[in-house]
Structures are given as structure tokens and as C-alpha cells.
């Protein structure tokens, strides 16, 4: 018996070590992607120059030009950090939603948060027309996007509570509210003038090109808080994977955990959408890739999904800058190119397994 226990322990630690190695490998891939993203674009800067610019922050290098410093630190670095943080936020929001709903096709946008944020941002873009300060205009758009994302979550929770507060009713309420805000956005597109319409359309395709360091700090704070809360409840999330009734029978406060998960997911999604626009498929694809790599244990799935989301969005943003010579494509277009084939493959794979 003791020998069998020792074998089980040995196998358990061996599996965990493999998972840690996979996490380390993903972290290395993210670092490689960061270096690649810094060194490519309309104004190429080689890797050696990138390293010199970073070292210049600690020890001044007089041989560097002002243009090289601006390209690396003011143009590319903010959008790289924003891509990583947005990927982390959307990936973990999707991980939470898929876990709570026990549905692999659920994404952070299922409860209508992105539709509410899109309506708020559209209002902000329209109201900011004529503003002389670009910073004030961007702040208004982000503020209204986040406020309407929070309002959407409140409406969904209210409708779900009236309808007996079941998970199924919450999902249906989210779909209904999402369609309502989507219709309102379509109405705004129909009524605005031709000068404002392109801004509405471009925002809804997603972009990290205009995210400021102040907004990045907010995204980072929300990401840290969200990851800490998810890590604290990692074991309860593991138990929920066995089913709602089993989780309750094992002592998990399912309603409290569901409410916390909805709030964290909404906060993460709302902040990401408010600052980067609507970026699809990251919150659906990244959790699936994470489970394929390390399994369903949230202690490892959370950091793996974070790295997968960061890597996916960073690569997508870099490709959006280099795919077309004259313009930068909206990042949502590139993530769709990546996400749609993966989504189709996932459906086919699940059907074959069934």
C-alpha cells in the first residue's frame, strides 16, 4: 500500500513538473514575441538597437538617436504592453465564464458586456466630436464604454434574479441585453454623419495603437486583482467542473462563487473593451489552448491561459502592423483570422471525440 502511494505521489509530482516546464516554455515564447514585435514595423529597428534603448533607461547611451528612442519606447512599447494585458484580461474572463457555465463555447462577451461597452464608446465618440483635447476625448470614450459595460452586467443580474437567478436564465438574459445594445449601436451608425461613422466602425474592430500609459496602469491593476481572486478560488473552480450539484454537495458556495466570477469577468472584460475596443475570439481560444496544454486544474490553467492570451494578442497586433505596408489593420480582424479556423477545428474535434 505504501509503495502504491509513493508511486502515485511520484506520478503527481512528475505531471506538475511537466506543467511547470510548459509554463516556462510559454513565457519564453512571449519574450521572443515581445522582441520580435519591438523590432518590426514600418520603421525597422533591429534587436540590438532595441536592447540598447532598454539599457539606455538605466545607463544613458549617447549613440542612440531620438527617433530610435521614440519608436521603441513611445510607439511600440505601449501597444505591446497593452496587447499583453488585454490578452490576459480577456483570456481569464473567458476561462471564468466557460467554467461557470460549463460550456466551452462561452466567451467574455456572452453576457453582453462588449455590446454595452460598444454602445457607451459609440456615445463617447459622438459626444467627443468638436473637442480640442484628444486626451479628453479618449478618456470620455473609455469612461462611457466601461460605465455601460457595468450597466449591462447590472441589467443581466437584475433580469436573472427576477427569473429565479438560474445560470441558464442569466445566459439568456445576457443574449437578450446584448442584442438590445447591438441594435442601439446600429441605430447610432445609421444616424451619425459620414465623418464620425469611420471612427465608430474602427473602434468596434479593436485596436491597441492609442492606449496610453495611464490606461495601461489601470489594465495592469485590474489584471492583478482579477488573477489574485481567481487564484484564491482556484480549488472551488476545480470542484465546480464536476457540476453544480456536486459542487454544492462538496460544500462550495456556488451562488457566491458565481456572483464573484461574473463580477471579475465583467470587470476584466469591461476594462479591456473600454481601452482596446471589441477584440473577438481571444477569450474563447486562449482557455481552450490552456486546457489542451495543462489540463483542467485552475492552479495551472489560470497562468497558462494568461500566457496564451498575451501571446495570441501580441502576435495578432504585430501581424496587424506588418501585413499591409501602408496601414495598420484593426487587431480584431487578425484575431478573427486566427480564431475562426481554430473554432471550426474545435467543433470538428469535439464531434469526433463524441
Amino acid at each position: 500500500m505504501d509503495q502504491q502511494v509513493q508511486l502515485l505521489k511520484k506520478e503527481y509530482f512528475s505531471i506538475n513538473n511537466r506543467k511547470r516546464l510548459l509554463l516556462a516554455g510559454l513565457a519564453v515564447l512571449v519574450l521572443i514575441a515581445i522582441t520580435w514585435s519591438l523590432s518590426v514595423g514600418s520603421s525597422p529597428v533591429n534587436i540590438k538597437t532595441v536592447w540598447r534603448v532598454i539599457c539606455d533607461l538605466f545607463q544613458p547611451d549617447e549613440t542612440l538617436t531620438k527617433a530610435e528612442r521614440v519608436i521603441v519606447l513611445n510607439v511600440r512599447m505601449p501597444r505591446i504592453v497593452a496587447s499583453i494585458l488585454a490578452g490576459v484580461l480577456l483570456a481569464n474572463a473567458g476561462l471564468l465564464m466557460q467554467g461557470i457555465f460549463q460550456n466551452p463555447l462561452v466567451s467574455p462577451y456572452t453576457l453582453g458586456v462588449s455590446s454595452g461597452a460598444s454602445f457607451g464608446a459609440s456615445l463617447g465618440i459622438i459626444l467627443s466630436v468638436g473637442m480640442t483635447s484628444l486626451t479628453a476625448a479618449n478618456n470620455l470614450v473609455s469612461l462611457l464604454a466601461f460605465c455601460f459595460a457595468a450597466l449591462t452586467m447590472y441589467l443581466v443580474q437584475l433580469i436573472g434574479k427576477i427569473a429565479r437567478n438560474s445560470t441558464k436564465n442569466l445566459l439568456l438574459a445576457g443574449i437578450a441585453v446584448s442584442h438590445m445594445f447591438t441594435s442601439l449601436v446600429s441605430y447610432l451608425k445609421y444616424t451619425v454623419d459620414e465623418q464620425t461613422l469611420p471612427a465608430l466602425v474602427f473602434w468596434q474592430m479593436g485596436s491597441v495603437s492609442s492606449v496610453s500609459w495611464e490606461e495601461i496602469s489601470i489594465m495592469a491593476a485590474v489584471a492583478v486583482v482579477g488573477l489574485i481572486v481567481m487564484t484564491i478560488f482556484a480549488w472551488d473552480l476545480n470542484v465546480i467542473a464536476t457540476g453544480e450539484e456536486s459542487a454544492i454537495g462538496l460544500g462550495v458556495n456556488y451562488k457566491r462563487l458565481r456572483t464573484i466570477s461574473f463580477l471579475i469577468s465583467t470587470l476584466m472584460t469591461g476594462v479591456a473593451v473600454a481601452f482596446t475596443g471589441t477584440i473577438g475570439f481571444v477569450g474563447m481560444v486562449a482557455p481552450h489552448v490552456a486546457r489542451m496544454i495543462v489540463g483542467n486544474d485552475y492552479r495551472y490553467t489560470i497562468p497558462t491561459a494568461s500566457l496564451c492570451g498575451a501571446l495570441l494578442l501580441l502576435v495578432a497586433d504585430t501581424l496587424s502592423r506588418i501585413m499591409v505596408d501602408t496601414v495598420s489593420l484593426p487587431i480584431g480582424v487578425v484575431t478573427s483570422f486566427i480564431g475562426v479556423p481554430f473554432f471550426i477545428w474545435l467543433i470538428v474535434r469535439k464531434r469526433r471525440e463524441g
Side-chain angles (χ1 to χ4, degrees):
M1 185 67 179
D2 290 338
Q3 186 178 1
Q4 187 177 5
V5 171
Q6 291 298 324
L7 288 173
L8 288 173
K9 284 184 177 180
K10 185 177 180 180
E11 184 180 358
Y12 174 78
F13 286 117
S14 176
I15 291 172
N16 285 342
N17 288 333
R18 286 201 299 269
K19 290 178 180 179
R20 294 187 184 101
L21 285 174
L22 289 169
L23 276 171
L26 276 174
V28 171
L29 286 177
V30 172
L31 290 175
I32 294 172
I34 291 172
T35 305
W36 173 55
S37 185
L38 282 169
S39 59
V40 300
S42 57
S43 301
V45 177
N46 60 46
I47 296 175
K48 183 179 178 181
T49 304
V50 170
W51 179 249
R52 286 169 56 207
V53 171
I54 295 173
C55 292
D56 179 66
L57 296 173
F58 307 97
Q59 185 176 357
D61 186 348
E62 300 298 334
T63 62
L64 288 172
T65 64
K66 183 179 179 181
E68 289 172 336
R69 290 187 176 94
V70 169
I71 289 171
V72 174
L73 297 178
N74 297 345
V75 177
R76 292 183 187 166
M77 190 66 79
R79 69 186 297 164
I80 287 171
V81 178
S83 298
I84 291 172
L85 290 173
V88 170
L89 291 170
L90 293 174
N92 284 285
L95 183 65
L96 276 177
M97 288 295 95
Q98 290 173 11
I100 291 298
F101 284 108
Q102 293 296 294
N103 187 338
L105 303 182
V106 171
S107 74
Y109 301 147
T110 301
L111 295 181
V113 175
S114 67
S115 298
S118 294
F119 178 70
S122 300
L123 279 180
I125 292 170
I126 294 171
L127 294 174
S128 64
V129 172
M131 282 188 175
T132 56
S133 173
L134 181 61
T135 302
N138 289 336
N139 289 341
L140 178 63
V141 172
S142 299
L143 177 62
L144 288 179
F146 180 76
C147 287
F148 275 90
L151 176 62
T152 302
M153 188 60 196
Y154 174 76
L155 289 175
V156 170
Q157 290 276 26
L158 181 62
I159 295 171
K161 188 174 182 180
I162 294 173
R164 295 166 53 181
N165 206 28
S166 69
T167 304
K168 179 180 178 180
N169 288 334
L170 280 170
L171 183 59
L172 293 174
I175 294 172
V177 173
S178 176
H179 282 290
M180 180 187 72
F181 279 115
T182 300
S183 299
L184 291 173
V185 171
S186 299
Y187 173 76
L188 291 178
K189 289 181 182 178
Y190 184 77
T191 56
V192 297
D193 55 65
E194 59 183 15
Q195 284 79 25
T196 309
L197 182 59
L200 295 181
V201 175
F202 187 81
W203 188 92
Q204 290 166 15
M205 292 182 180
S207 175
V208 293
S209 59
S210 60
V211 181
S212 66
W213 284 112
E214 290 79 9
E215 293 168 342
I216 287 173
S217 64
I218 296 173
M219 294 171 68
V222 171
V224 170
V225 171
L227 290 173
I228 290 174
V229 173
M230 290 177 67
T231 303
I232 290 172
F233 289 99
W235 280 111
D236 289 345
L237 291 168
N238 285 338
V239 174
I240 281 181
T242 63
E244 180 179 344
E245 293 182 0
S246 298
I248 294 173
L250 292 170
V252 174
N253 190 332
Y254 180 79
K255 289 186 177 180
R256 185 189 68 172
L257 184 58
R258 186 185 65 183
T259 301
I260 292 173
S261 298
F262 286 160
L263 291 175
I264 293 299
S265 177
T266 300
L267 182 61
M268 287 180 159
T269 306
V271 169
V273 173
F275 296 141
T276 65
T278 305
I279 302 174
F281 284 104
V282 176
M284 182 182 294
V285 171
H288 281 293
V289 176
R291 293 191 189 96
M292 290 167 61
I293 294 174
V294 296
N296 295 315
D297 188 344
Y298 276 84
R299 294 176 302 162
Y300 294 99
T301 310
I302 292 169
T304 306
S306 301
L307 290 171
C308 289
L311 182 62
L312 174 60
L313 206 52
L314 181 55
V315 170
D317 177 58
T318 307
L319 291 175
S320 73
R321 292 193 280 115
I322 64 176
M323 286 178 67
V324 181
D325 291 335
T326 55
V327 295
S328 177
L329 291 174
I331 193 172
V333 175
V334 182
T335 55
S336 295
F337 285 154
I338 299 172
V340 170
F342 180 85
F343 184 67
I344 295 172
W345 172 81
L346 183 67
I347 294 174
V348 173
R349 180 172 176 267
K350 290 291 184 183
R351 181 174 179 82
R352 286 178 179 174
E353 288 178 355

